[in-house]
Amino acid sequence: LGAVVGEITVPLARLPHIAFLILGGVMVYDLVKPLGGKAAGLFGALCWLASPMVAQKAITAEPDVTTSVLLFSAFWLWWTSTAAGRLTLGRWLMIGALMGIAGLAKGPQPVAYVTLGVGIALLVRREIAQLPGFVLANAIAGIMVGAWYVAVAIPSDVHGWAVHSRLLDLGHVQLVRDHLDFVVSLVAE
């Protein structure tokens, strides 16, 4: 857009962010409307736009909303396709692409929200037939994010990541204890 207009202005830089905010509201409306009607769908969309976290990000234009909406798009596509009985290979490919793009926007960690949410839903609902598509979607996301890391990696990055993750400055017993503590906290939360 900047090349077409000749410069990147503040409104132009915020345009994609605003589009993602609106898209998030539309998807919330679309998921709520069949269950609660138009009024409930509109209320849900307005709650999305008025939530404190979204309102804060509307001002700062950080990648959090973009990442959240991309991941919600992947979930929305899975949910609506499953409900309609039309979860095809093409849709699984699109779900994987959306998850991968979200991983490129903010890193691989947020992708786990869709992976865990949909994965647990599939296991609880015993929808084993969806597991190959689910694995494919996650593989696509992993390949996209992994390819980016390989493309920009510097040999010293591994050391920096290990230090940041506190993997180098702890003894083995401390490392295991901290990771077990993390897992227990994660399960409890």
Side-chain angles (χ1 to χ4, degrees):
L1 290 174
V4 171
V5 177
E7 67 178 327
I8 297 178
T9 62
V10 172
L12 188 62
R14 292 191 184 273
L15 187 63
H17 186 73
I18 298 302
F20 275 103
L21 282 170
I22 293 169
L23 177 61
V26 168
M27 286 187 301
V28 168
Y29 175 83
D30 186 65
L31 284 179
V32 174
K33 183 182 142 201
L35 300 172
K38 289 182 182 179
L42 183 58
F43 179 75
L46 291 174
C47 285
W48 156 257
L49 294 170
S51 74
M53 288 302 292
V54 171
Q56 175 191 9
K57 300 304 179 186
I59 296 167
T60 58
E62 294 174 354
D64 297 342
V65 169
T66 301
T67 303
S68 296
V69 171
L70 285 166
L71 293 172
F72 188 55
S73 296
F75 171 79
W76 175 87
L77 182 58
W78 172 77
W79 184 271
T80 57
S81 298
T82 299
R86 294 184 301 217
L87 192 54
T88 63
L89 175 63
R91 291 181 188 212
W92 275 118
L93 294 172
M94 189 61 161
I95 290 167
L98 288 166
M99 291 169 59
I101 294 168
L104 295 175
K106 185 89 178 188
Q109 295 88 349
V111 174
Y113 294 132
V114 175
T115 300
L116 292 173
V118 172
I120 290 170
L122 293 178
L123 293 174
V124 167
R125 296 165 71 177
R126 293 187 174 101
E127 296 188 17
I128 306 304
Q130 287 191 32
L131 287 180
F134 174 74
V135 170
L136 175 65
N138 281 279
I140 289 168
I143 289 168
M144 288 174 69
V145 174
W148 178 83
Y149 274 106
V150 168
V152 301
I154 300 170
S156 64
D157 284 348
V158 173
H159 178 75
W161 292 337
V163 169
H164 181 267
S165 300
R166 297 179 3 146
L167 296 176
L168 293 181
D169 59 350
L170 299 173
H172 294 297
V173 173
Q174 180 72 27
L175 180 66
V176 170
R177 192 179 87 223
D178 281 358
H179 282 79
L180 285 175
D181 180 60
F182 170 75
V183 169
V184 169
S185 298
L186 184 65
V187 168
E189 290 174 9

